[in-house]
């Protein structure tokens, strides 16, 4: 039994089961021929109907049966089911029918019990020794492998409305048998046939409504009970249509039949869809927003009457306590708009009251969900592909959040900052990510960055990549309930596929320090700037992961309709706290930190982030780790600027090994864009050395020679545990080296001081921007001033040469014009001389 989807096409196999003479063959014959025949064979052969355009060109196969319970009993025995289990069904059947008091119950039961026991004995006689010892794992496996009932997708179970005993056998014989054979996974439609005879007898022999409800409550896999008449062609089409729909629109992923409410996965999916259409971020769906949703899904608009009808229905169902969606304690309508609970209640009504499963499935499939409610991530949201390589040619902007991304994250922050304190608490962060099964932000999810070039480092703990197993497929997408990791062939930190020499990525084993250390850091409150800073960090590590996570949260990578555009002031009181920060200019420092093991890289990173770093946190990182922080600084133009500091610390390698040198160079080339047509996510490299250790400086200089090119900006940073006073020995050598390379003098940072000198951060900002926008020139690329002078000199020479050529051509032309004028005057004089001489 494979799962069917509307996108696949294929075949739907319907199995007809029921007692003798209930009209199974007549129903199949009438449905196929559109005509009722008094004479039909005792059993029809397999009937295969042509593809139906309304069912995405699915074909339908109908299997008629005779004594189908024998085949089911044989399957149970062959799968290892003991005889007592089989005979318990027949004994229950005998007890129930004998107590029913119906006239023909005894005869029917005798035949039913006899047929069931005959099936058991037949299975013992015909089954091979291997099958009787449990060769097949289940009865369904046996049926799929050997019986005529193979590849069955749904069952129509028929009883006679004019013979009540056939209805009783559904509950005590047929349905328990089907449940054991198919483990309650196969949808069943119950058909009460011969409605014309039941009407003639005033329905005295028909089951009551309460009996039918009791049957549905006991057997959850029964989707619907339909009364029909093969003779009068009443509800025959509806019967087979509902049977087909039970396969194409399964109920189990949407509705928990045991708990009587929407499944958690379904609720999360519809909550995410709610967010996508809640464009004004007020937590409510207005009539206009709901109409946009309707147009997106079905291409038609709703009327005011439709809105009023749904609001009335949902409100009445909620007030009467009839809602089974598990949201009774929440308001469904507020200020004339649908809340999340009200939106979920709409689909609860469609499923439980109207049995219109095609509607919620139509919404989910249109919004990119598959039959398991996995969210398919569209390739269009990722950076473009060129020459068949994933993200091999990225634009500078691909490494940064777009204005649309920032607007979405800002509106989400303001919407969920319920206490309007300008910060997200742990509970509020949990609410934002509640549309995921693991309500954690991406920087706290270990599995996301398994094969990335670096992993996020939050506080003093890095997120541990998860154990191998998950995959990240952009075309096959993933559900909002699970976040996949990148395949091993992809370097998703930069989003680049490398086809050259092997490159080490974050490949984690069970004994790794990353596994032994804390896997998921605890959620801490985030201010607005910290919230944005973390997302900038994720986008720097991997643009693909950042865009996928935003999409899972409900970000629509399209501009909203003009009528829905809104100002931040409408979101709530929290906007007054956040608006000044939104309008404040911001800049970024994205830097790679390189150095020897004893250079103090770890302490420098913590110092720049203004975090306390104990001795235990000074260890050398096992894998590249990216950390972030946000600060404010004063630029040379006296403007207060927000600085997003994103640092990736790369562990030291053995520079005496050519392989290690090549691997490190490849990694830095990728991070700095040398493999991506000059487009890079990072702005510069911090070459860190111990200001008191010459060997540490020599290691940094060797890194510069073997790893960096002249086009890569770099800053030398010396670390010391003492207060910055007299210049340590290594810093003197570094100063001379920077002077020869035409670089800014090395920064000396004291790790022993409590606070960080603000000038350090200002210096790094200026070097990252290469000082072009300020009056002061900051030299971060080697010989940059000389290159500028040479460029200026070449420009002056080129302009001077051009001017000389233009002047020469002008003078030559004037000379020719003067010569022509003189010649013309002489000609006139000679002409007049000849005239007068005559």
């Amino acid at each position: 039994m494979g799962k069917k989807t509307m996108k696949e096409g294929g075949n739907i196999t319907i199995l007809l089961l029921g007692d003798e003479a209930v009209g199974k063959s007549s129903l199949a014959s009438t449905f196929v021929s559109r005509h009722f025949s008094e004479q039909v064979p005792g059993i029809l052969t397999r009937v295969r109907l042509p593809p139906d355009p309304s069912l995405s060109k699915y074909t339908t196969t109908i299997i008629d049966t005779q004594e189908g319970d024998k085949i089911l009993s044989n399957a149970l025995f062959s799968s290892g089911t003991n005889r007592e289990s089989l005979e318990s069904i027949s004994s229950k059947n005998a007890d129930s029918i004998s107590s029913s008091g119906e006239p023909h119950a005894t005869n029917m039961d005798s035949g039913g019990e006899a047929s069931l026991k005959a099936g058991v004995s037949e299975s013992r006689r015909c089954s091979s020794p291997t099958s009787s010892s449990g060769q097949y794992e289940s009865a369904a496996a046996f049926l799929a492998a050997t019986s005529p009932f193979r590849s069955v997708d749904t069952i129509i179970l028929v009883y006679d409305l004019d013979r009540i005993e056939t209805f009783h056998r559904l509950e005590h014989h047929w349905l328990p048998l089907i449940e054991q054979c198919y483990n309650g996974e196969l949808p069943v439609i119950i058909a009460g046939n011969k409605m014309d005879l039941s009407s003639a007898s005033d329905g005295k022999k028909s089951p009551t409504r309460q009996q039918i409800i009791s049957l549905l409550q006991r057997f959850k896999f029964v989707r619907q009970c339909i009364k029909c008449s093969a003779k009068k062609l009443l509800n025959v089409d509806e019967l087979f249509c509902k049977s087909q729909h039970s396969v194409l629109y399964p109920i189990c992923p949407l509705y928990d039949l045991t708990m009587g409410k929407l499944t958690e996965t379904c609720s999360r999916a519809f909550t995410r869809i709610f967010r996508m259409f809640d464009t004004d971020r007020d937590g409510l769906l207005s009539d206009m927003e709901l109409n946009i949703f309707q147009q997106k899904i079905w291409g038609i608009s709703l009327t005011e009457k439709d809105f009023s009808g749904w609001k009335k229905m949902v409100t009445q169902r909620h007030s009467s306590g009839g809602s089974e969606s598990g949201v009774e304690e929440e308001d469904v309508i507020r200020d004339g708009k649908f809340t999340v609970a009200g939106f979920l209640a709409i689909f609860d009504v469609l499923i439980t009251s109207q049995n219109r499963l095609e509607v919620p499935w139509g919404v989910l499939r249109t919004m990119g969900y598959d039959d398991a409610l996995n969210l398919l991530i569209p390739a269009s949201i990722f950076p473009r592909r060129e020459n068949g390589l994933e993200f091999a040619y990225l634009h500078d902007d691909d490494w940064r959040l777009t204005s649309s991304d920032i607007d979405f994250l800002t509106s989400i922050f303001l919407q969920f900052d319920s206490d309007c304190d300008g910060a997200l608490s742990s509970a509020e962060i949990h609410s934002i990510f509640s549309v995921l099964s693991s309500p954690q932000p991406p920087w706290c999810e270990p599995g996301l960055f398994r094969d990335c070039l670096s992993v996020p480092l939050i506080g003093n703990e890095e997120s541990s990549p998860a154990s191998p197993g998950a995959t990240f497929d952009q075309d096959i997408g993933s559900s909002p309930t699970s976040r996949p990791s990148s395949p091993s062939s992809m370097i998703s930190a930069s989003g680049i596929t490398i086809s050259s020499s092997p490159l080490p990525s974050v490949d984690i084993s069970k004994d790794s320090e990353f596994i032994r250390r804390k896997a998921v850091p605890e959620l801490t409150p985030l201010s607005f700037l910290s919230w944005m800073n973390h997302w900038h960090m994720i986008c720097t590590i991997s643009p693909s992961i950042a865009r996928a996570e935003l999409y899972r949260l409900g970000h629509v990578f399209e501009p909203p309709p003009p009528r829905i555009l809104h100002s931040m002031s409408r979101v709530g009181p929290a906007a007054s706290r956040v608006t000044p920060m939104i309008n404040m200019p911001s800049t970024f420092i994205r830097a790679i930190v390189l150095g020897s093991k004893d250079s103090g890289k770890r302490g420098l990173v913590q110092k720049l982030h203004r975090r306390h770093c104990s001795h235990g946190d000074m260890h050398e990182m096992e894998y590249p780790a990216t950390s972030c922080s946000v600060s404010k600084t004063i630029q040379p133009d006296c403007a207060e600027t927000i600085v997003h500091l994103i640092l990736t610390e790369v562990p030291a390698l053995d520079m005496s090994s050519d392989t290690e040198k090549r691997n490190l160079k490849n990694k830095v080339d990728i991070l700095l864009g040398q493999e991506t047509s000059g487009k890079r996510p990072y702005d510069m490299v911090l070459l860190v050395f111990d200001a008191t250790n010459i060997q540490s400086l020599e290691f940094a200089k060797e890194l510069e020679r073997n790893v960096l090119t002249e086009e890569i900006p770099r800053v030398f940073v010396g670390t010391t545990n003492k207060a910055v006073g007299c210049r340590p020995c290594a810093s003197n050598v570094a100063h001379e080296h920077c002077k020869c390379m035409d670089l800014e003098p090395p920064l000396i940072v004291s790790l022993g001081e409590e606070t960080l000198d603000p000038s350090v951060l200002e210096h790094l900002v200026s070097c990252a921007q290469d000082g072009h926008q300020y009056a002061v020139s900051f030299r971060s690329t080697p010989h940059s001033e000389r290159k500028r002078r040479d460029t200026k000199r070449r420009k002056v020479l080129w302009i001077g040469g051009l001017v000389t050529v233009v002047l020469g051509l002008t003078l030559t032309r004037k000379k020719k014009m003067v010569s022509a004028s003189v010649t013309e005057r002489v000609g006139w004089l000679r002409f007049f001389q000849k005239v007068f001489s005559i």
Side-chain angles (χ1 to χ4, degrees), residues 475-759:
D475 293 329
I476 302 177
S478 63
S479 73
T481 62
S482 60
R483 292 153 160 159
S485 60
S486 303
S488 57
S489 61
M490 291 292 299
I491 303 175
S492 59
S494 57
I496 302 166
T497 299
I498 300 299
S499 57
S500 57
S501 59
L503 185 66
S505 59
V506 182
D507 190 10
I508 306 303
S509 62
K510 292 182 179 179
D511 298 329
S512 170
E513 179 185 359
F514 273 66
I515 297 299
R516 295 194 301 268
R517 300 185 66 181
K518 184 178 179 181
V520 180
E522 295 181 0
L523 292 178
T524 57
L526 295 176
S527 66
F528 173 73
L529 293 179
S530 296
W531 164 257
M532 297 302 302
N533 186 240
H534 280 68
W535 281 102
H536 286 301
M537 175 185 67
I538 298 301
C539 193
T540 299
I541 295 175
S542 174
S544 59
I545 290 178
R547 284 161 175 76
E549 291 303 299
L550 289 173
Y551 185 78
R552 291 187 182 98
L553 287 179
H555 180 29
V556 181
F557 290 84
E558 299 174 358
R563 291 180 297 174
I564 304 298
L565 291 175
H566 60 282
S567 63
M568 289 298 175
S569 60
R570 292 181 55 190
V571 178
S576 60
R577 295 176 178 269
V578 176
T579 302
M581 303 177 189
I582 298 174
N583 298 329
M584 187 178 296
S586 61
T587 187
F588 297 88
I589 301 178
R590 295 177 171 90
I592 299 175
V593 183
L594 300 177
S596 61
K597 291 183 178 180
D598 57 355
S599 63
K601 298 194 302 289
R602 182 95 284 272
L604 175 65
V605 170
Q606 297 291 74
K607 194 73 175 179
L608 291 174
H609 289 318
R610 291 180 170 84
R611 297 171 186 155
H612 175 70
C613 187
S614 62
H615 180 73
D617 295 319
M618 298 292 287
H619 65 279
E620 176 73 8
M621 302 298 296
E622 185 179 355
Y623 299 102
T626 301
S627 54
C628 64
S629 64
V630 61
S631 306
K632 293 181 181 179
T633 185
I634 304 298
Q635 295 294 354
D637 59 357
C638 299
E640 188 177 29
T641 303
I642 296 173
V643 178
H644 293 279
L645 183 63
I646 301 172
L647 303 176
T648 297
E649 180 185 351
V650 179
L653 299 177
D654 183 9
M655 295 305 295
S656 62
S657 170
D658 292 338
T659 302
E660 296 287 359
K661 289 180 183 178
R662 184 170 58 254
N663 287 340
L664 181 59
K665 179 172 174 55
N666 287 341
K667 183 174 294 187
V668 175
D669 284 348
I670 293 171
L671 294 175
L672 290 173
Q674 303 304 305
E675 297 285 344
T676 57
S677 303
K679 310 303 182 184
R680 61 183 188 234
Y682 289 87
D683 303 306
M684 63 180 178
V685 172
L686 300 183
L687 293 169
V688 185
F689 64 95
D690 185 351
T692 62
N693 189 339
I694 294 293
Q695 295 299 325
S696 179
L697 175 62
E698 291 300 322
F699 187 91
K701 292 167 64 177
E702 189 173 1
L703 283 173
E704 183 183 30
R705 288 193 299 270
N706 292 284
V707 176
L708 306 185
T709 62
E710 285 195 353
E711 291 75 20
I712 297 177
R714 79 286 309 270
V715 175
F716 279 84
V717 182
T719 63
T720 178
N721 290 324
K722 300 179 181 179
V724 178
C726 60
R727 182 178 296 174
C729 56
S731 64
N732 292 326
V733 180
H735 190 278
E736 292 299 324
H737 174 75
C738 291
K739 185 177 180 180
C740 293
M741 298 292 291
D742 195 19
L743 297 172
E744 290 295 316
L747 282 172
I748 306 299
V749 178
S750 174
L751 304 181
E753 295 181 355
E754 292 293 332
T755 59
L756 178 69
D757 187 352
S759 62

Side-chain angles (χ1 to χ4, degrees), residues 389-410:
L389 297 179
E390 291 287 349
F391 318 132
Y393 299 88
L394 296 182
H395 191 270
D396 288 337
D397 292 338
D398 291 333
W399 301 101
R400 291 167 171 80
L401 297 174
T402 65
S403 58
S404 175
D405 301 338
I406 293 174
D407 289 344
F408 172 76
L409 291 170
T410 302

Side-chain angles (χ1 to χ4, degrees), residues 157-362:
L157 186 57
V158 187
Y159 73 95
D160 190 342
L161 283 170
D162 202 41
R163 292 155 54 199
I164 190 62
E165 63 271 15
T166 60
F167 176 81
H168 290 304
R169 277 176 51 80
L170 300 183
E171 183 175 4
H172 303 290
H173 176 69
W174 284 105
L175 289 174
L177 197 58
I178 293 171
E179 185 175 31
Q180 288 202 32
C181 286
Y182 293 101
N183 301 318
E185 297 177 355
L186 207 65
V188 173
I189 304 294
I190 293 179
N193 194 23
K194 303 185 181 180
M195 190 177 174
D196 52 308
L197 297 180
S198 175
S199 301
S201 60
D202 298 329
K204 294 180 180 179
K205 298 181 181 179
S206 300
T208 64
R209 176 180 176 84
Q210 187 58 41
Q211 288 176 314
I212 295 176
I213 293 176
S214 176
L215 188 72
L216 293 174
Q217 290 176 343
R218 178 180 173 185
F219 299 99
K220 303 296 186 181
F221 54 90
V222 177
R223 289 284 296 273
Q224 198 169 356
C225 291
I226 299 177
K227 294 182 180 181
C228 59
S229 172
K231 186 174 183 179
K232 300 294 184 180
L233 274 70
L234 292 175
N235 297 334
V236 176
D237 288 348
E238 181 185 0
L239 172 65
F240 284 91
C241 181
K242 290 297 183 181
S243 183
Q244 294 166 330
H245 284 185
S246 69
V247 179
L248 297 177
Y249 309 112
I251 191 173
C252 291
L254 304 183
Y255 201 80
D256 189 335
L257 296 170
T258 303
M259 301 298 295
K261 64 178 183 178
L262 298 178
T263 62
E264 293 295 330
T265 305
C266 179
S267 296
R268 286 192 293 266
F270 281 120
T271 301
R272 174 185 170 274
I273 294 172
F274 179 94
R275 291 185 186 179
M276 296 179 70
F277 291 92
D278 180 20
T279 52
D280 58 3
R281 303 298 172 195
D282 61 350
L284 303 170
L285 276 188
S286 65
D287 292 353
M288 181 181 295
E289 292 168 336
L290 199 58
N291 208 23
I292 293 174
F293 164 78
Q294 178 77 7
Q295 291 173 345
K296 169 74 175 179
I297 304 300
W298 309 112
I300 58 176
S301 300
L302 294 174
T303 64
E304 189 65 32
K305 184 178 180 181
D306 296 326
F307 290 124
S308 301
W310 273 108
K311 290 175 184 178
K312 182 179 180 180
M313 179 183 297
V314 170
T315 303
Q316 289 178 348
R317 184 177 176 85
H318 172 72
S319 59
S320 63
S323 176
E324 300 293 337
S325 60
V327 294
E328 291 86 349
E329 297 181 357
E330 302 180 35
D331 293 334
V332 291
I333 302 294
R334 186 187 306 154
D335 299 331
K337 303 177 183 179
F338 283 94
T339 64
V340 175
F343 189 67
L344 296 178
I346 292 176
F347 297 99
D348 182 82
V349 170
L350 290 169
I351 294 172
T352 59
S353 299
Q354 301 183 6
N355 197 28
R356 297 179 59 191
L357 286 163
E358 67 275 9
V359 176
W361 273 118

Side-chain angles (χ1 to χ4, degrees), residues 8-34:
E8 291 179 359
N11 181 69
I12 298 175
T13 302
I14 302 174
L15 178 64
L16 289 170
L17 291 176
D19 289 326
E20 295 281 338
V22 294
K24 301 185 296 295
S25 301
S26 295
L27 283 172
S29 173
T30 302
F31 177 68
V32 173
S33 64
R34 323 303 298 169

